[in-house]
Amino acid sequence: MLRFVILILVLMLSIPCQGSDYRYYFGLKGGVSTITGGDGYKFPLNESFGGSAGYRFSDRWHLEFDFSIHRNLNDSTASSSLSFGGDDANATQKWKASRLGITLNKYLFNPDNSLNMHVGFGGGLMVWKIVEPVGDTAIDVLGVHNERTDFAATEIFVTARTGFDLTLSSKLALCWDVQADMLTGAGAEFETSVKDARNTWQVGSFLTLKYAFGGGSGGGWKSSGTWSQATVAAAGESSRQALDGDGDGVPDELDRCLDTPLGAIVNKTGCAIDSDADGISDGLDDCAGTDPRAAGMVDIYGCPIDSDFDGMPDYLDKCPFNQVGARVDSSGCPTDSDGDGVPDGIDDCPYTLYGVDVDKFGCIDLTDFSHPMVLNIDYPPGSFEVDPNNQERLRQLARILNFVPEIRLEISGYTDNIGTDVANQKLSEKRANRVRDYLAMHGVDISRIKVFGKGETNFVASNDTAEGRAKNRRIEIIFYK
């Protein structure tokens, strides 16, 4: 039996590599995976297995459906998520998941190569739950309405992968993949602290044995059928006798361009055609008909480059280095509706008051409320009226306070030591009340304001000089929530 199996493998490996001639394939996969990215859970690598089925709709592109099963133990003694296995005795939870995904993959090299690299993106559903290590009893947590619920969900994920395919025969290939799934939260209905603490990335590495079937792809290079017969006839030789070093369908003795890249469409003299003059030959150009203005600003596939991913190609983009996520106008420059310096699209507070300081997220900078506001008002003796300079400061304060209604404030009035204690106490109350009334006149709800008259207390300077007494005659505003 063993000799028979060895004989079959030898026969398969002796067949030329023509895997791209088959449209369909299925595979069996096995590998290791972990769930990571959260607080308080550590799931070392554990074995995973599954299967896949795919459809190759061109030499370089294929669509793959795959299913896999994952089991991981939360082992607090493991050094990291990249440790292997997990000790049942030290585990407090077990992650159980079934993954159903779909991925669009592209081969990066010539499809006739025995070794090829691919990249892919896609998504799917992850059906998962976290259970007790013994007994598989589901752990309960708080749900979105603070009810007790199983720590389980059917959740949407997005995935990215890369890897290599090694062709073993015309129908067999061995594939090694590394993939990362990001759990989006769609379908996971838990209380906020639970969602924040849970793991959101499943990362794995797999080996897949693929079997191809389902009819040949036909093909050959596009230019071969156009010129091969005519050029061979002109040379007076049969197609089997003509030498064609670069495989473009034009015999070497008639070929003026002997190093044409494989896959390029050529003219009768064997030179590559570039219809849109972007530097990428037809047949290798994924974006035929590119605007001539994009010359020199295309990628290796002949498509216009968009450095800042704003949807405006660099050759038309007047602002080619925008922050990723910013909304742009027809010239590719960011829009800023509220004029706060943070572009629309990444502005968490898109309707901020004009002229008000904001943080890096475009929201009002509340750090100014972390310390008291002091008004050194030049009161005439016995007066409690607010001077024009401080009126302007209070108008700006009221403007911001009306935009952040959660901020409350305490207004305290102070005097110098000239006069009696009783008189100064009443005067400080009048001064604090006048500031409160001024803010209320500009729209601040009076219920948000507390007023205190502190009289001749808490001096900040000496009362022996006029300058010191002026500093002691003041209003202090303290902010809180």
Side-chain angles (χ1 to χ4, degrees):
M1 180 64 180
L2 179 60
R3 292 180 179 178
F4 177 75
V5 172
I6 294 174
L7 177 61
I8 293 298
L9 289 175
V10 170
L11 288 174
M12 289 191 297
L13 292 173
S14 66
I15 301 175
C17 297
Q18 299 294 330
S20 61
D21 288 341
Y22 296 94
R23 290 297 189 190
Y24 306 96
Y25 65 86
F26 65 83
L28 296 176
K29 62 192 298 185
V32 293
S33 67
T34 182
I35 181 76
T36 187
D39 298 329
Y41 299 99
K42 189 183 294 180
F43 292 93
L45 291 166
N46 265 100
E47 301 89 350
S48 300
F49 59 91
S52 62
Y55 170 67
R56 184 193 299 268
F57 49 85
S58 73
D59 284 347
R60 292 182 180 266
W61 292 93
H62 69 276
L63 192 67
E64 180 173 296
F65 300 86
D66 66 291
F67 174 78
S68 54
I69 295 174
H70 306 263
R71 300 288 186 272
N72 297 88
L73 289 170
N74 175 28
D75 188 347
S76 59
T77 65
S79 60
S80 71
S81 294
L82 296 181
S83 304
F84 189 77
D87 189 349
D88 290 358
N90 296 312
T92 56
Q93 294 96 13
K94 180 190 293 185
W95 162 269
K96 301 179 68 175
S98 298
R99 179 190 184 279
L100 181 63
I102 180 171
T103 312
L104 181 64
N105 300 281
K106 181 174 183 178
Y107 288 107
L108 302 184
F109 306 138
N110 188 327
D112 289 332
N113 288 355
S114 296
L115 182 65
N116 213 327
M117 182 178 181
H118 64 264
V119 294
F121 300 92
L125 290 177
M126 187 84 69
V127 182
W128 62 266
K129 62 181 178 179
I130 295 182
V131 300
E132 299 286 350
V134 179
D136 276 4
T137 303
I139 293 174
D140 67 324
V141 293
L142 289 177
V144 70
H145 302 297
N146 285 324
E147 78 283 8
R148 304 303 299 184
T149 185
D150 289 348
F151 203 1
T154 298
E155 187 171 354
I156 295 174
F157 67 85
V158 295
T159 188
R161 67 163 57 164
T162 186
F164 293 90
D165 279 33
L166 176 63
T167 302
L168 303 178
S169 70
S170 63
K171 293 189 176 183
L172 283 179
L174 186 64
C175 171
W176 172 69
D177 276 313
V178 175
Q179 70 181 27
D181 302 329
M182 184 187 75
L183 301 178
T184 65
E189 298 184 350
F190 304 111
E191 190 267 337
T192 302
S193 63
V194 177
K195 292 185 73 171
D196 291 345
R198 72 193 187 98
N199 292 339
T200 55
W201 285 91
Q202 180 165 281
V203 182
S205 178
F206 299 91
L207 282 175
T208 305
L209 184 63
K210 296 180 180 178
Y211 175 78
F213 63 97
S217 61
W221 298 113
K222 298 178 183 178
S223 54
S224 297
T226 307
W227 304 116
S228 59
Q229 293 182 354
T231 54
V232 171
E237 298 176 319
S238 69
S239 59
R240 287 176 296 180
Q241 295 171 329
L243 296 177
D244 182 10
D246 55 8
D248 62 359
V250 179
D252 287 353
E253 66 180 60
L254 300 178
D255 197 336
R256 296 181 183 176
C257 302
L258 295 174
D259 57 352
T260 304
L262 287 174
I265 297 176
V266 300
N267 58 21
K268 293 182 178 180
T269 61
C271 295
I273 299 171
D274 183 9
S275 302
D276 53 11
D278 61 358
I280 306 298
S281 305
D282 294 358
L284 302 176
D285 195 336
D286 289 347
C287 297
T290 301
D291 192 315
R293 291 176 293 175
M297 289 185 283
V298 298
D299 59 22
I300 60 174
Y301 304 108
C303 297
I305 296 171
D306 180 10
S307 300
D308 52 10
F309 305 101
D310 61 359
M312 185 69 62
D314 286 0
Y315 76 93
L316 296 175
D317 198 337
K318 294 182 179 179
C319 302
F321 304 108
N322 296 323
Q323 292 177 264
V324 175
R327 294 177 188 162
V328 298
D329 57 22
S330 58
S331 64
C333 293
T335 59
D336 183 9
S337 302
D338 54 8
D340 61 0
V342 180
D344 298 345
I346 56 177
D347 192 338
D348 290 346
C349 300
Y351 305 108
T352 306
L353 291 171
Y354 180 77
V356 174
D357 291 338
V358 298
D359 58 24
K360 64 180 181 179
F361 304 107
C363 297
I364 290 179
D365 188 355
L366 298 181
T367 56
D368 288 341
F369 294 118
S370 62
H371 51 79
M373 180 179 185
V374 179
L375 304 178
N376 289 113
I377 301 174
D378 188 16
Y379 291 110
S383 172
F384 52 85
E385 293 297 338
V386 181
D387 62 87
N389 288 335
N390 284 292
Q391 287 178 12
E392 175 60 26
R393 291 182 67 190
L394 290 173
R395 280 195 294 271
Q396 291 297 328
L397 175 62
R399 186 164 172 254
I400 299 174
L401 288 173
N402 289 328
F403 203 75
V404 283
E406 69 274 14
I407 299 294
R408 307 177 71 83
L409 54 157
E410 293 181 356
I411 302 175
S412 298
Y414 296 89
T415 68
D416 57 26
N417 67 347
I418 304 299
T420 66
D421 290 349
V422 175
N424 282 336
Q425 175 65 30
K426 291 182 178 179
L427 181 59
S428 67
E429 291 177 2
K430 289 181 180 180
R431 289 173 175 173
N433 285 329
R434 180 61 79 190
V435 171
R436 176 200 62 193
D437 296 342
Y438 194 85
L439 291 173
M441 182 179 70
H442 287 83
V444 181
D445 189 342
I446 200 168
S447 66
R448 299 167 57 188
I449 306 173
K450 293 181 180 180
V451 177
F452 301 95
K454 299 296 181 70
E456 49 182 87
T457 60
N458 298 335
F459 298 127
V460 296
S462 172
N463 284 302
D464 294 335
T465 64
E467 292 80 4
R469 290 191 294 273
K471 292 181 179 179
N472 291 329
R473 295 190 298 271
R474 69 193 187 280
I475 295 292
E476 289 187 2
I477 303 177
I478 297 176
F479 306 96
Y480 66 97
K481 290 186 178 181

